[in-house]
């Protein structure tokens, strides 16, 4: 396995911008609004040619234990706990805050090699900015500007010095045997719940709040001797309903995930039938020319009459994709998942 480096810090200190700079990508959403990142997002940094590592971007720790903020913080802590090196990102312009102090106290309990990254150091005295954080007692400190990509070489040298010994493992995104599966659909149909069920852990934040997932999050899985890359995506809505800038970015990430996948699994809510929003998502899959499986989720708890109605409605409204196999599942309880994977293999 490649070593793992986690980006940790309070909201809006530039973790996602740093993630994109180090992975030479635009994989993480970046926006001036705090709290855009919620789930863990993984990428591979190859700027050290002989020592690539997996980088994980996390949501900002806001000091709250309940609601989405609490769930986001738990995801960030889980990433730090499994990391080989932690990059503790702070805002060089604002200086230390009480929230930074709290995060540092928690990081000290982990005893994981930590580099203090003083971000947003462009246009200010970098030495003075670093000196403000001297009381933190972290030996490895590096001032950077992730937005302007300055100071990254020195930061990578700090990281390299703390990585465990190199292994011979292949980078996860280089494995051609993995079947790339994108789980798509409108908001709140159970995509994150399904991915969590397949992984056997609460890897994605699943909530009753529509639009909880904002990014396209990829996770690798091995099941019955076969390799997969599962991509949980943000729910697509009709363009007229897409108003916030962050949600527009989420749509772009979902469309990119559809383009990159081999099989798209369209999740429908069996209790609500096929909606115009579902047709919008389906149109994106067809435009990309991807293999398609349709999963009727929330099948458990439906009466025989409700199931018949759902089947009839799906058959009528999805007649133009009658070649796509339909399966009935319960992401919450795990029923129908073996049939789902069989359909995915046939589509692939």
């Amino acid at each position: 396995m490649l070593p793992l480096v986690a980006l940790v810090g309070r909201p809006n200190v530039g973790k996602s911008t740093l993630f994109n700079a180090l992975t030479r990508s635009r994989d993480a959403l970046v926006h001036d609004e705090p709290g855009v990142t919620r789930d863990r997002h993984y990428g591979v940094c190859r700027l050290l040619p002989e020592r690539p590592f997996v980088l994980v971007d996390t949501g900002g720790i806001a000091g709250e234990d309940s609601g989405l903020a609490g769930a986001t913080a738990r995801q960030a802590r889980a990433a730090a706990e499994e990391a080989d090196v932690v990059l503790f990102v702070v805002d060089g312009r604002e200086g230390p805050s009480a929230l930074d102090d709290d995060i540092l106290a928690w990081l000290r309990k982990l005893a994981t090699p930590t580099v203090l990254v003083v971000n947003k150091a462009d246009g200010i005295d970098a030495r003075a900015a670093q000196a403000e954080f001297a009381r933190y007692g972290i030996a490895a400190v590096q001032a950077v500007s992730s937005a302007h990509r300055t100071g990254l070489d020195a930061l990578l040298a700090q990281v390299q010095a703390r990585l465990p010994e190199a292994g011979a493992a292949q980078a996860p995104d280089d494995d051609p045997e993995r079947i790339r599966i994108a789980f798509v659909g409108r908001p709140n149909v159970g995509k994150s719940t399904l991915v969590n069920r397949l992984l056997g852990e609460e890897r994605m934040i699943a909530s009753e709040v529509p639009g909880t997932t904002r990014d396209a999050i990829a996770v690798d899985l091995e099941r019955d001797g076969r390799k997969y890359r599962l991509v949980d995506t943000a729910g697509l809505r009709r363009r007229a309903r897409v108003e916030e800038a962050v949600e527009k970015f989420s749509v772009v990430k979902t469309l990119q995930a559809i383009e990159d996948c081999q099989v798209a699994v369209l999740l429908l809510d069996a209790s609500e039938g096929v909606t115009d929003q579902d047709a919008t998502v389906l149109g994106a899959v067809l435009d990309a020319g991807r293999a398609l499986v349709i999963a009727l989720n929330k099948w458990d708890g439906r009466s025989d009459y409700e199931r018949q109605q759902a089947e009839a409605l799906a058959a009528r409204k999805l007649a133009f994709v009658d070649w796509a196999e339909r399966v009935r599942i319960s992401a919450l309880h795990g029923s129908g998942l073996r049939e789902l994977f069989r359909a995915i293999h046939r589509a692939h």
Side-chain angles (χ1 to χ4, degrees):
M1 295 293 291
L2 295 177
L4 181 65
V5 177
L7 295 165
V8 174
R10 59 185 173 87
N12 215 31
V13 293
K15 298 184 295 300
S16 295
T17 305
L18 182 57
F19 176 92
N20 288 343
L22 292 176
T23 58
R24 287 292 191 265
S25 71
R26 295 183 178 179
D27 287 346
L29 294 179
V30 177
H31 194 268
D32 291 336
E33 175 190 333
V36 170
T37 303
R38 288 173 175 169
D39 290 293
R40 284 174 276 171
H41 193 106
Y42 291 84
V44 178
C45 175
R46 304 184 187 280
L47 298 182
L48 298 172
E50 298 180 358
R51 199 67 180 103
F53 57 87
V54 175
L55 188 67
V56 53
D57 184 26
T58 68
I61 300 175
E64 299 178 28
D65 295 326
S66 60
L68 285 177
T72 300
R74 288 192 292 274
Q75 291 283 325
R77 293 189 181 103
E81 288 168 0
E82 67 182 17
D84 297 297
V85 178
V86 170
L87 300 183
F88 177 27
V89 185
V90 295
D91 190 323
R93 294 183 178 179
E94 294 184 3
S97 71
L99 195 50
D100 290 326
D101 295 345
D102 293 341
I103 296 171
L104 176 64
W106 165 71
L107 285 174
R108 282 180 173 148
K109 297 177 183 177
L110 295 181
T112 303
T114 300
V115 179
L116 179 65
V117 183
V118 182
N119 194 24
K120 305 182 184 181
D122 49 303
I124 63 174
D125 187 335
R127 290 187 178 181
Q130 290 182 213
E132 284 194 72
F133 293 92
R135 64 182 176 85
Y136 282 0
I138 298 178
V141 183
Q142 181 59 51
V144 304
S145 170
S146 54
H148 295 87
R149 300 191 173 184
T150 58
L152 299 187
D153 289 342
L155 175 60
L156 287 169
Q158 298 262 29
V159 172
Q160 186 173 22
R162 288 158 181 81
L163 290 176
E165 293 184 6
Q170 186 182 34
D173 58 337
D174 284 344
D175 194 336
E177 296 183 5
R178 291 196 184 277
I179 299 177
R180 300 188 301 277
I181 307 168
F183 295 93
V184 299
R186 54 191 173 86
N188 212 31
V189 293
K191 298 183 296 295
S192 296
T193 302
L194 177 57
V195 173
N196 285 341
R197 170 62 66 175
L198 294 174
L199 295 172
E201 64 170 314
E202 190 179 345
R203 174 61 182 78
M204 308 296 172
I205 298 175
S207 167
E208 294 296 326
V209 180
T212 297
T213 300
R214 288 178 166 179
D215 214 334
I217 310 298
V219 186
D220 289 343
L221 169 71
E222 290 193 24
R223 178 188 174 98
D224 296 332
R226 303 190 69 163
K227 298 179 179 180
Y228 306 90
R229 167 153 299 142
L230 312 181
V231 183
D232 182 24
T233 67
L236 282 182
R237 302 202 286 178
R238 295 193 306 274
R239 289 186 179 180
R241 297 282 301 278
V242 179
E243 299 171 353
E244 297 181 14
V246 171
E247 189 171 354
K248 291 180 181 178
F249 295 148
S250 297
V251 170
V252 172
K253 301 305 296 183
T254 298
L255 295 176
Q256 288 176 340
I258 292 172
E259 289 287 344
D260 291 341
C261 78
Q262 293 166 318
V263 182
V265 176
L266 172 66
L267 261 70
L268 302 176
D269 189 329
S271 65
E272 298 182 9
V274 183
T275 68
D276 291 341
Q277 292 169 262
D278 295 320
T280 299
V281 180
L282 189 54
V285 176
L286 296 180
D287 287 343
R290 295 297 174 256
L292 173 66
V293 173
I294 297 172
L296 292 169
N297 190 27
K298 306 182 183 180
W299 197 248
D300 54 310
R302 307 270 80 78
S303 67
D304 290 341
Y305 174 76
E306 289 172 330
R307 291 181 177 183
Q308 291 172 4
Q309 289 294 101
E311 289 277 16
L313 182 61
R316 186 171 70 253
K317 290 206 170 185
L318 299 175
F320 65 103
V321 286
D322 56 359
W323 45 266
E325 191 167 350
R326 293 199 298 272
V327 294
R328 296 92 187 151
I329 67 169
S330 168
L332 185 62
H333 297 102
S335 60
L337 298 189
R338 187 169 297 277
E339 290 76 12
L340 174 62
F341 270 91
R342 288 172 179 165
I344 289 171
H345 293 155
R346 286 190 286 268
H348 178 258

